[in-house]
Amino acid sequence: MTGKFLPLILALMASGALGASVAGEVSGAMAPGEFAAYVEDGRTRFDQAKSALPRFDALMERVRQQPGGLRGLSLEALRSLAMDAHVANFYFAGARPDAHRDIVEELLDRSAASEQDLVDFHGALVAARNWDEARDFARRFPEAPLETLPEVRMGDGLQHGPSYLRPLPAENVVVRESLGAGKGLSLVVVSHPDCGYSRAAMAAIEANPALGDALPANRVYLAPTFGKLRFARVAQWNTRHPAFAHVLVDRPADWAFVSNWATPQFLFLRDGKVVEAVTGWPGEAQVELLMAAARRAARPPAD
């Protein structure tokens, strides 16, 4: 699948903006701007982070070892590197905020940071769940269109493992809680109110009581929100659709059983392990597939 930034990257390459002058500033196989193109060329799934991110790390290390480090790069190369950092954090849930910070601070030192640079780095901090730094950064640039974040509170009895953020819209608060998928059958639905396929799936469940009854009572609707929480949108949805109220994923790396964050997905867990999965919602035919998966998942495990 073509990534969201690939047309821009290809245009820059065609114009020469990512040409030999940039590549010549950093020795090695990958130059500033090339990591973004590499990821956008079909490597944007979260489960591809382990193979993709070492390339970004190697690029940053080569940049730092050059005379002058970041300061020694031309503005053209530095902007290309900022795109690399943005792609690393956008697709891989804030995996490299420290490198992104260094690049943005260098752009600021040169009075060359754009509004989009500020938005991108703030998104990296949010995706990394660096709440305090994200708020401090927003206060530092009050004119920039940076997302206003809710207060984050710790829930009672928080355990290790997957956690999510439960919106409390009346208080502009999210509460961090554990999934707590222990013994027995449970269901994690990876979905989002802004996803048309997710809404179609929830409408089908609501219209089919037999399907709703077949799904595990212990279920959670999990929205994959990373660089933007979209708290107000999710809170509004939850108020209007309490039966399908969503929580927000906290740190995606803790959700080891979710290999990618496509929506919608229905993951049936028994004793914390996925035993059935249904992905996508192409149409009403998916009702029977989901019903069949629910029946299989409900069968007692073989001794």
Side-chain angles (χ1 to χ4, degrees):
M1 181 182 298
T2 301
K4 64 175 285 191
F5 303 108
L6 189 55
L8 171 62
I9 295 165
L10 294 177
L12 289 171
M13 287 179 170
S15 70
L18 299 181
S21 63
V22 175
E25 295 188 37
V26 179
S27 61
M30 191 166 279
E34 292 182 353
F35 176 79
Y38 169 80
V39 171
E40 286 283 303
D41 188 22
R43 300 175 183 87
T44 59
R45 296 197 320 271
F46 187 77
D47 61 345
Q48 294 173 304
K50 289 183 178 179
S51 60
L53 286 173
R55 294 173 180 263
F56 176 74
D57 295 338
L59 169 60
M60 287 299 301
E61 181 62 24
R62 284 197 293 273
V63 167
R64 296 184 192 283
Q65 290 177 357
Q66 297 298 305
L70 289 172
R71 179 108 349 147
L73 292 179
S74 68
L75 182 57
E76 175 187 332
L78 187 63
R79 288 198 179 281
S80 298
L81 195 62
M83 175 67 79
D84 291 328
H86 174 50
V87 165
N89 287 302
F90 180 86
Y91 286 114
F92 305 131
R96 297 296 185 268
D98 293 342
H100 204 162
R101 181 191 306 106
D102 292 344
I103 295 165
V104 169
E105 290 296 342
E106 178 62 27
L107 285 169
L108 287 167
D109 285 348
R110 301 188 194 191
S111 300
S114 68
E115 185 177 85
Q116 191 60 52
D117 289 324
L118 304 181
V119 170
D120 291 345
F121 177 55
H122 185 262
L125 294 175
V126 173
R129 302 316 191 219
N130 291 356
W131 304 116
D132 290 341
E133 185 178 357
R135 291 191 185 89
D136 289 343
F137 191 77
R139 284 191 289 267
R140 184 178 167 191
F141 300 98
E143 301 302 318
L146 306 180
E147 183 180 27
T148 300
L149 299 175
E151 178 187 348
V152 181
R153 297 177 184 169
M154 298 296 108
D156 294 335
L158 192 64
Q159 302 171 4
H160 295 293
S163 61
Y164 52 72
L165 306 169
R166 183 181 299 282
L168 301 180
E171 304 178 56
N172 194 34
V173 166
V174 291
V175 179
R176 186 168 181 256
E177 301 175 349
S178 292
L179 175 63
K183 297 293 184 180
L185 190 63
S186 59
L187 175 66
V188 172
V189 184
V190 181
S191 60
H192 198 286
D194 287 339
C195 168
Y197 296 108
S198 296
R199 293 196 303 271
M202 289 181 281
I205 294 170
E206 188 173 36
N208 190 330
L211 176 58
D213 291 342
L215 298 177
N218 182 12
R219 71 185 80 156
V220 60
Y221 290 88
L222 182 68
T225 55
F226 303 130
K228 285 189 179 294
L229 290 187
R230 295 181 172 87
F231 172 85
R233 171 69 179 113
V234 176
Q236 180 187 61
W237 167 272
N238 289 355
T239 299
R240 295 178 178 177
H241 306 276
F244 300 96
H246 281 62
V247 296
L248 315 177
V249 64
D250 184 21
R251 300 179 185 276
D254 293 338
W255 295 75
F257 59 83
V258 182
S259 60
N260 70 80
W261 293 94
T263 57
Q265 296 180 66
F266 296 82
L267 305 175
F268 294 83
L269 281 69
R270 181 174 291 281
D271 302 338
K273 297 181 179 180
V274 176
V275 294
E276 291 287 341
V278 175
T279 302
W281 201 265
E284 290 302 309
Q286 205 76 341
V287 169
E288 288 303 318
L289 291 178
L290 187 57
M291 184 78 81
R295 292 194 191 101
R296 290 193 299 270
R299 294 171 186 162
D303 293 334

